[in-house]
Amino acid sequence: SIGVVEGNEDDRLSKLPDDLLLNIVERLDIADAARTTILSRRWKDVLARLSKVVIRADSFESKHTTSKLKKEDIVQSNTTVLDATRSILERRAGSLHTIQLLCMQFYLGDESIFIGQTVANSIATQKVASVDFTILTKVRRNCTKDELLTNGRQFMSFFDSCPNTFGCLARLTLENLRLGESAFPKNFSICKQLEFLFLHNCDMGIQSLLEVEHPQLSELVIASGCFKRVHLKWAPKLTILKFSIFRSKDDPFCLGYVPLLQTVSIINTALSWHKMLKLSELLGKTAISILHLNFRSEKIWVKPEGRRQLLPVFHKLRIVNLLNIPEECDLTWTMFLLQGAPNLKELRIVVRDHLCLVEQRKKGAFSEEKDKGLEWEPSASDFKHHNLAGLSIYGRFQAEDKLVSYARSIMQAAVNLEDIKLYKSPVCQRCKHMRPEWTLERSHRLATKSKRGCPRRSGFTS
């Protein structure tokens, strides 16, 4: 809120230094930022000095908009975005300040070509340095094959109409597209400045292969889609790879030349036919520092391996998050990560089930044995880990003894452990009324049982 100082014409915000004032306005979407221009004479020219401008279609939409839009809704939304873009850029006609990053969200449609051309003209006159496009589709979820193909053709028409715009993109988010085999190589060759790419439900057909070669790409996110495999052949600046929901029976991706890769995140709801992945083979010759694995309360799809196999890829690993492990699973198998990652500092584990999905599971090809194939034996009974400092466990266990036994195993192995934190795992709204609460008294009781018989060197937070 803006407080007006009595006796002064200007409000308190207007007395802030220019750089701080601009920093505040740059955090607003364009609709709110535009409203600030009426506050005072000093604010009148704020839009002409912003280094970051955000124009989003959902800023102009009703909060009650459904997931299925009509064609006239798309036209109206894109027209509003186009008008806002032109208005902002016209205000900066004589400005000496370049927009360093123009973030735009709009719908794929006939009008998107005009949006792209407007941005291209601004880039040509050096009003815009780089661009972030998030391109939405009319149907957001559960697209049919025909809808995917139609979206793909429409996107490539847009792409071919505005190559200069796409050539300056720094970030690109796409959804619900099925493209031809030559489309992605063409896109990568033109989008030479691209640093971030998010593909949601995009592919080149069922069981297609995506090959990625890009000199600037630093973050790649693949969510859903029907790729058989994504091959990162050459991405010398890639640091973050996120892979969510894969349908392949084989390894979902393979890594070529990615020397800077630091963070890998894999999310999957494993069905009975999914293979168990060997991380030593999947991660190849990389040496990552952060690993996130999300099992979505279904079958564990990681195969425990020995220290010798894992050490080449895990010798720099510092942080591991194991999320949504099914409650029926024992946690002993996770110890293979400690043995393979001698420099691990933080381990976070979330254990929970989704009771609300019981009926849905009966209709799908889910595995009845969520812990099948997790047999693991430590390489040495007296194994010690010297670098693990923090362990956080979020759980709603079917049996308390699993938590107690696991916590004791970690405390005995991690000789320099500083802190163990025990939390109640979050519950989705649909599960909320289907299970008893984990009381504070029960949490304290578990903490006491876990510490009993273990060295008194670790703090235990519950």
Side-chain angles (χ1 to χ4, degrees):
S1 62
I2 298 173
V4 178
V5 180
E6 186 176 356
N8 291 334
E9 292 183 358
D10 291 338
D11 55 76
R12 287 191 292 242
L13 279 177
S14 292
K15 293 186 177 182
L16 295 174
D18 283 357
D19 56 346
L20 185 55
L21 183 66
L22 291 172
N23 184 272
I24 293 173
V25 178
E26 284 175 353
R27 298 171 187 270
L28 304 175
D29 64 38
I30 199 60
D32 290 330
R35 295 186 185 102
T36 65
T37 61
I38 66 173
L39 296 177
S40 70
R41 284 176 295 180
R42 183 187 176 200
W43 288 72
K44 185 178 180 181
D45 297 324
V46 164
L47 293 184
R49 293 185 288 157
L50 298 179
S51 63
K52 178 182 177 182
V53 175
V54 180
I55 304 175
R56 298 176 57 88
D58 55 20
S59 298
F60 308 105
E61 295 174 356
S62 168
K63 294 181 180 179
H64 304 291
T65 299
T66 61
S67 59
K68 289 190 176 181
L69 299 174
K70 298 178 181 178
K71 184 175 181 179
E72 51 266 32
D73 297 325
I74 301 294
V75 173
Q76 181 179 354
S77 178
N78 279 351
T79 300
T80 304
V81 169
L82 177 59
D83 291 343
T85 304
R86 285 173 173 169
S87 176
I88 291 296
L89 297 177
E90 286 173 1
R91 286 172 178 263
R92 305 175 71 101
S95 175
L96 299 177
H97 302 275
T98 298
I99 298 176
Q100 297 301 321
L101 180 60
L102 174 60
C103 301
M104 301 192 64
Q105 179 206 63
F106 53 92
Y107 287 94
L108 186 62
D110 295 336
E111 312 76 22
S112 53
I113 292 177
F114 300 112
I115 295 174
Q117 290 173 344
T118 299
V119 173
N121 293 336
S122 299
I123 293 173
T125 56
Q126 299 184 336
K127 293 179 184 177
V128 177
S130 63
V131 184
D132 176 344
F133 272 2
T134 296
I135 304 176
L136 310 177
T137 53
K138 177 182 175 182
V139 178
R140 304 295 308 281
R141 291 180 289 182
N142 301 320
C143 288
T144 66
K145 175 183 176 181
D146 287 342
E147 286 170 336
L148 292 174
L149 290 170
T150 298
N151 292 341
R153 287 192 293 268
Q154 197 163 28
F155 171 74
M156 289 310 299
S157 177
F158 173 35
F159 187 91
D160 292 336
S161 300
C162 309
N164 292 337
T165 305
F166 280 91
C168 291
L169 288 187
R171 299 171 63 89
L172 177 61
T173 298
L174 300 173
E175 65 178 15
N176 304 319
L177 305 176
R178 179 155 291 174
L179 304 177
E181 290 186 6
S182 62
F184 279 112
K186 178 180 179 179
N187 296 344
F188 290 140
S189 67
I190 291 179
C191 300
K192 294 181 179 179
Q193 304 303 316
L194 202 62
E195 298 174 4
F196 171 89
L197 177 62
F198 189 121
L199 299 177
H200 176 74
N201 198 26
C202 297
D203 56 50
M204 297 176 292
I206 298 175
Q207 296 293 292
S208 52
L209 171 66
L210 174 63
E211 294 186 344
V212 179
E213 295 183 79
H214 199 283
Q216 300 297 326
L217 193 65
S218 62
E219 182 171 354
L220 175 63
V221 183
I222 306 287
S224 296
C226 291
F227 290 121
K228 180 179 181 180
R229 178 175 291 188
V230 176
H231 184 191
L232 286 107
K233 295 181 67 174
W234 184 75
K237 293 190 177 181
L238 189 73
T239 59
I240 300 174
L241 174 63
K242 298 180 180 179
F243 217 97
S244 176
I245 313 301
F246 52 91
R247 303 174 189 177
S248 172
K249 295 183 179 181
D250 302 312
D251 290 351
F253 60 84
C254 60
L255 303 177
Y257 186 69
V258 286
L260 300 184
L261 187 62
Q262 295 294 311
T263 301
V264 171
S265 174
I266 309 174
I267 303 172
N268 197 39
T269 304
L271 300 178
S272 57
W273 47 263
H274 274 102
K275 66 173 286 188
M276 296 186 74
L277 304 180
K278 290 187 177 182
L279 296 176
S280 64
E281 297 177 359
L282 185 66
L283 299 177
K285 298 180 180 180
T286 61
I288 63 173
S289 58
I290 301 174
L291 177 66
H292 306 279
L293 303 177
N294 188 335
F295 303 99
R296 299 190 57 154
S297 305
E298 288 298 334
K299 172 187 171 183
I300 303 299
W301 37 261
V302 167
K303 181 74 174 176
E305 299 180 73
R307 175 184 173 88
R308 182 174 59 84
Q309 289 80 16
L310 290 172
L311 193 58
V313 294
F314 279 176
H315 67 279
K316 293 184 179 180
L317 192 62
R318 299 290 187 274
I319 299 173
V320 170
N321 291 319
L322 303 177
L323 309 179
N324 296 312
I325 296 174
E327 293 181 17
E328 69 184 59
C329 294
D330 186 81
L331 296 177
T332 305
W333 64 274
T334 65
M335 294 289 287
F336 87 92
L337 293 167
L338 268 70
Q339 290 204 355
N343 292 305
L344 189 66
K345 291 287 187 182
E346 298 178 27
L347 175 61
R348 182 167 72 107
I349 295 177
V350 178
V351 180
R352 68 170 178 173
D353 283 342
H354 277 288
L355 298 182
C356 61
L357 298 179
V358 171
E359 292 302 318
Q360 180 179 328
R361 292 192 79 256
K362 294 178 181 179
K363 302 176 183 178
F366 294 97
S367 177
E368 293 302 319
E369 298 179 80
K370 298 182 181 180
D371 57 354
K372 186 176 181 180
L374 288 181
E375 297 79 13
W376 176 79
E377 292 294 334
S379 56
S381 58
D382 59 347
F383 164 70
K384 300 298 180 185
H385 195 284
H386 297 275
N387 286 297
L388 187 67
L391 171 66
S392 299
I393 306 176
Y394 299 72
R396 291 175 178 267
F397 294 80
Q398 293 177 338
E400 294 181 4
D401 290 343
K402 291 182 182 180
L403 170 60
V404 174
S405 175
Y406 181 72
R408 284 180 174 173
S409 297
I410 293 291
M411 295 174 73
Q412 290 171 357
V415 296
N416 292 313
L417 189 66
E418 298 173 2
D419 194 21
I420 295 181
K421 295 180 180 179
L422 173 64
Y423 301 98
K424 178 175 62 180
S425 64
V427 180
C428 76
Q429 290 300 314
R430 289 177 295 180
C431 286
K432 198 169 186 179
H433 306 293
M434 303 176 71
R435 64 193 315 157
E437 284 291 322
W438 190 357
T439 64
L440 184 61
E441 290 78 13
R442 184 182 181 192
S443 179
H444 282 308
R445 184 170 72 252
L446 291 176
T448 301
K449 290 174 67 177
S450 299
K451 290 187 290 184
R452 193 175 298 146
C454 291
R456 299 183 64 185
R457 52 180 163 71
S458 301
F460 202 116
T461 305
S462 59

